Amino acid sequence: MITIQDIRKARENIQDTINATPILQSGQLSQLCGNQIFFKCEHLQKTGSFKIRGATNKVKQVMKEGAELVTAASSGNHGQAVSFIAKKLGVPVTIVVPTDVNPCKMNAIEAYGGKIVKCGTTSAERIPKAIEIAEEQNGVFIPPYDDPYIMAGQGTTGLEILEQVQDVDAVVVPIGGGGLISGILTAIKETHPDIKVYGVEPETANDTFLSLQNGQITSIPPTSTIADGLRATQPGDMTFPVIQKYLDDLVLVTDEEIRLAFSFVMERMKQVIEPSSMVTIAALMNKKLPIEGKKVVTVISGGNVDLTRINKLVIGTERIC
């Protein structure tokens, strides 16, 4: 398991690349949720998500070890982050994407310097291909979450939260494979164990929820949810023990609840936030967490929304306002 020392070292390693993202507040959202709500704005991070933190920490490490190429399997935020930092550091980068990749996402990866290779439609097909390319060219595969350098890099988000919001009572984090929340849990619980940390998953992508219930890593079939960044089929071997040890609770939200949260934030806060980030706000708006009258930070993990899909995400918010 990673330690707070690993996260502090990661912070020193990545500080010349990442942004210390701002904290925003919404009076209307706070009133609606019955808590004082703060947004940790990783949607304003370089490449549009928190992923650049872990990617920078990992890519810098493998370059020290002599890697001549880096690869990743991704059609979204991870691929963009790995491409960005690899180009910045001058190492070739190849991203393996699905054959049905959204053109907007592929264009974004290419804009950050990634060479595209298409393979299959599932991560089970893409990951072996990315590993194969790395092995053939003295390169290293950069995993999306289940890696100590990735986890430590993501944990720097937690250090910033502690510095930016005084006397915070709770932090709410979206869960996909678990890299972000395992890093934040380590940063917070090893320094301020009294602060509550809650996770949120979509109802149809509840692999971590089921794993916690079963006391062991539990896989689910590939699923669909508008929170497409949270479609992991199981938590990581490295991330899950951290979640088991430290997480206070995990709740689930529906796609309908995510859409309402997306629409509220677009309309009232004028922020473009991807559906995967909206799970935390949806949980707070629907009072699914056992907190009231508290100072709460919700981690907004990314803002890379496909603009062609926005009309499918926005619905009327009159019933909740």
Side-chain angles (χ1 to χ4, degrees), residues 135-156:
E135 291 175 345
E136 289 174 349
Q137 302 182 46
N138 192 30
V140 177
F141 170 68
I142 308 297
Y145 51 84
D146 208 27
D147 177 273
Y149 290 96
I150 296 287
M151 295 158 64
Q154 319 305 27
T156 60

Side-chain angles (χ1 to χ4, degrees), residues 248-295:
D248 289 290
D249 199 3
L250 192 160
V251 298
L252 305 175
V253 293
T254 67
D255 275 10
E256 173 76 1
E257 290 165 339
I258 295 170
R259 283 191 176 92
L260 280 170
F262 182 90
S263 300
F264 184 91
V265 171
M266 282 275 295
E267 181 180 319
R268 302 305 172 92
M269 294 188 66
K270 317 306 179 191
Q271 299 294 307
V272 179
I273 297 173
E274 63 191 62
S276 297
S277 300
M278 287 295 174
V279 296
T280 57
I281 301 170
L284 289 164
M285 289 174 64
N286 289 277
K287 303 189 186 312
K288 296 197 173 188
L289 297 168
I291 44 179
E292 186 174 357
K294 302 294 185 181
K295 190 178 286 189

Side-chain angles (χ1 to χ4, degrees), residues 231-242:
R231 290 177 184 168
T233 56
Q234 68 177 61
D237 293 333
M238 296 182 187
T239 63
F240 184 61
V242 182

Side-chain angles (χ1 to χ4, degrees), residues 288-305:
K288 296 197 173 188
L289 297 168
I291 44 179
E292 186 174 357
K294 302 294 185 181
K295 190 178 286 189
V296 181
V297 175
T298 176
V299 178
I300 306 304
S301 55
N304 291 320
V305 180

